[in-house]
Amino acid sequence: MKHIDRPMRCGCIGEHLTHSFSKDIHARLASYAYELLELAPHALDAFMIKAPFDAINVTIPYKSAVIPYLSHIDAAAEAIGAVNTIVKREDGLWGYNTDVYGMTELLAHAGVSIQGKKVLILGTGGTSKTACAVARAEGASCVLRVSRDGREGAITYAQAYQAHTDAQVLINTTPCGMYPTWEACPIDIDRFPALTGVIDAIYNPLCTKLVLAARARGIAAEGGLYMLVAQAVRASEIFLGEDYPAGTTERIYRDLLRQKQNIVLIGMPSCGKTTVGTHLAERMQRPLLDTDACIIERAGTPIPTIFATQGEAAFRAMEQQVVRDIATQTGHIIATGGGAVLREDNIQALRANGRLYFLDRPLSKLLPTEDRPLSGNAQALRLRYHERYDLYCRCADVIVDASTDAEVIADFIQGEFST
Ligand code: S3P
């Protein structure tokens, strides 16, 4: 972190900033004060005239509205009509656009090449203008914007499905797929067989359905967190008038990703998910959430009673609701019930913000217990194991040898997660 020895007031203005990561990112960069300032639209004019800051970032919905208050604007910001970084100098306010840099860096980080490619950009808002500028600068052969109503020179989704299924890169700049609508996906990528890259500007959740669907097809795909960090690093360089060392964005991105990402433990009943989860929670100072414990608390009865009185389907419905709620959290350890991966919905929800670890404990070391209705005896346990083994492997980001004791398994997971 850069130490700044003069007092410097920095921050970010926008209408809604409660979910912003900007303070977190700038705190990792430099020691200047960085505050999130929520401004109602009617308060913008007085704020910009008074300009009570040394340097600020600007976010939705003020990136264009701040332009009339500037005495200088850089070429990229002017071409796009959006400013996200303002510095106060002796001769007035200078405006810049570092989102363009952020998007360019994100493409490189994701390994998505644009040169000579046909690019579809979903949405017509501010970020879509940034994406268009970047796609053109990177040498796209054709750039088309897609919107629901096809206005402002965009094509409609129906036209995209009809005449542009040869698109090779897709960039989502709409809020479709962002919490709380994480279950939504803006477009059906299966209708675009030539896709080689998918970018989603959304970073909340860390992995949207669009990114998950693209990765499942083997397409290079990435969410918006890297762009967010890269634009902040560039903005901070402009604030300070000096550059950070190479690798700064990568370092902060990884740090932030790990801080936000959940560690999700999946695997057979009695493989040690709760025990390993407890060790991890203690060592990593993270809260532990256990889906079975949440179900018991919500239902007010033990799991065998739920199975006996309401049946497995009712239990699975409760489990799905609990997983959905828990999976929106960040920075947690999540221990799941052995059958949580049986529903694709649960896997998608857990993946949105989590890294999934399968605790692969050999059948010979698993113990049947009476409080587990579906694996209460050795025969049932064996059946479940064979039914589910491939599924656990398929859902996992990491398969962990769980034949040893819980401390060793926790050591391994902590190490793997942190590197
Ligand atoms: C189940 C596993 C249990 C619990 C329920 C159903 C399963 O969790 O969710 O009895 O289908 O395997 P544990 O894996 O924590 O035992």
Side-chain angles (χ1 to χ4, degrees):
M1 202 205 8
K2 228 181 243 276
H3 180 74
I4 314 298
D5 46 19
R6 62 201 148 106
M8 225 183 136
R9 288 169 307 165
C10 302
C12 182
I13 60 166
E15 193 171 10
H16 304 290
L17 293 169
T18 33
H19 300 294
S20 170
F21 291 178
S22 289
K23 201 176 157 84
D24 262 5
I25 300 172
H26 283 270
R28 288 169 159 88
L29 282 169
S31 65
Y32 47 65
Y34 192 96
E35 298 305 329
L36 301 177
L37 294 164
E38 284 196 347
L39 286 181
H42 71 266
L44 183 71
D45 185 55
F47 179 84
M48 288 305 294
I49 289 169
K50 198 166 169 220
F53 54 78
D54 295 298
I56 52 164
N57 289 126
V58 183
T59 188
I60 294 168
Y62 304 130
K63 290 187 185 187
S64 300
V66 295
I67 292 177
Y69 302 92
L70 306 174
S71 46
H72 300 269
I73 180 166
D74 85 333
E78 181 145 44
I80 294 170
V83 161
N84 77 324
T85 301
I86 299 176
V87 179
K88 190 192 263 177
R89 302 215 169 93
E90 277 174 12
D91 55 352
L93 300 178
W94 288 56
Y96 303 85
N97 183 306
T98 70
D99 289 330
V100 168
Y101 172 81
M103 177 68 82
T104 310
E105 288 290 289
L106 167 57
L107 288 166
H109 167 81
V112 172
S113 152
I114 297 272
Q115 175 68 38
K117 301 265 170 68
K118 178 168 185 173
V119 181
L120 290 188
I121 295 169
L122 311 184
T124 52
T127 312
S128 112
K129 290 183 189 141
T130 304
C132 278
V134 172
R136 292 204 176 101
E138 296 276 302
S141 63
C142 169
V143 181
L144 291 168
R145 292 204 286 165
V146 187
S147 77
R148 275 177 296 189
D149 55 20
R151 276 188 294 199
E152 294 184 52
I155 58 166
T156 62
Y157 283 84
Q159 287 169 323
Y161 287 136
Q162 229 165 35
H164 302 287
T165 52
D166 57 343
Q168 292 150 299
V169 175
L170 197 139
I171 305 178
N172 177 45
T173 69
T174 76
C176 181
M178 182 161 39
Y179 281 128
T181 65
W182 66 271
E183 283 168 285
C185 189
I187 198 160
D188 176 6
I189 58 161
D190 288 341
R191 309 216 0 216
F192 299 88
L195 280 179
T196 56
V198 169
I199 294 289
D200 199 332
I202 294 170
Y203 56 85
N204 182 18
L206 297 165
C207 261
T208 56
K209 283 236 164 165
L210 177 64
V211 170
L212 291 174
R215 285 187 183 161
R217 241 182 70 189
I219 300 167
E222 192 70 46
L225 187 65
Y226 198 89
M227 174 177 172
L228 184 79
V229 176
Q231 65 73 32
V233 171
R234 187 74 201 106
S236 184
E237 288 177 340
I238 294 172
F239 288 1
L240 299 172
E242 41 183 307
D243 289 354
Y244 288 99
T248 300
T249 297
E250 185 67 34
R251 176 177 59 77
I252 295 181
Y253 162 77
R254 285 202 58 84
D255 199 25
L256 200 61
L257 178 66
R258 291 305 185 227
Q259 182 195 320
K260 303 285 176 196
Q261 214 171 24
N262 296 316
I263 292 181
V264 181
L265 306 177
I266 60 171
M268 282 292 289
S270 85
C271 72
K273 293 167 301 222
T274 307
T275 319
V276 171
T278 307
H279 285 304
L280 286 169
E282 269 172 25
R283 288 158 187 222
M284 299 176 80
Q285 303 280 297
R286 284 175 169 234
L288 171 69
L289 284 167
D290 186 307
T291 60
D292 283 346
C294 293
I295 296 167
I296 295 166
E297 195 184 315
R298 284 190 195 182
T301 46
I303 289 175
T305 314
I306 303 174
F307 270 79
T309 58
Q310 302 177 58
E312 181 176 353
F315 172 82
R316 295 291 172 214
M318 287 180 208
E319 182 171 57
Q320 185 168 340
Q321 192 54 52
V322 161
V323 167
R324 231 168 233 251
D325 295 344
I326 283 180
T328 61
Q329 301 287 338
T330 55
H332 280 62
I333 309 287
I334 299 176
T336 59
V341 294
L342 294 174
R343 290 200 174 177
E344 179 60 26
D345 248 34
N346 294 348
I347 300 169
Q348 297 264 328
L350 292 164
R351 278 224 171 113
N353 274 336
R355 188 164 174 81
L356 273 59
Y357 291 86
F358 166 33
L359 303 195
D360 185 7
R361 193 163 175 83
L363 182 58
S364 58
K365 294 201 171 180
L366 298 173
L367 292 175
T369 51
E370 274 175 13
D371 63 348
R372 289 174 167 109
L374 294 182
S375 52
N377 58 56
Q379 194 195 1
L381 192 64
R382 194 176 333 111
L383 263 177
R384 301 286 90 78
Y385 184 88
H386 292 302
E387 273 166 16
R388 293 176 183 174
Y389 188 82
D390 289 347
L391 180 59
Y392 290 131
C393 290
R394 245 184 299 126
C395 315
D397 292 300
V398 184
I399 299 173
V400 182
D401 172 6
S403 54
T404 48
D405 69 78
E407 292 266 10
V408 177
I409 299 168
D411 268 348
F412 172 82
I413 294 174
Q414 187 177 7
E416 197 282 339
F417 187 73
S418 315
T419 49

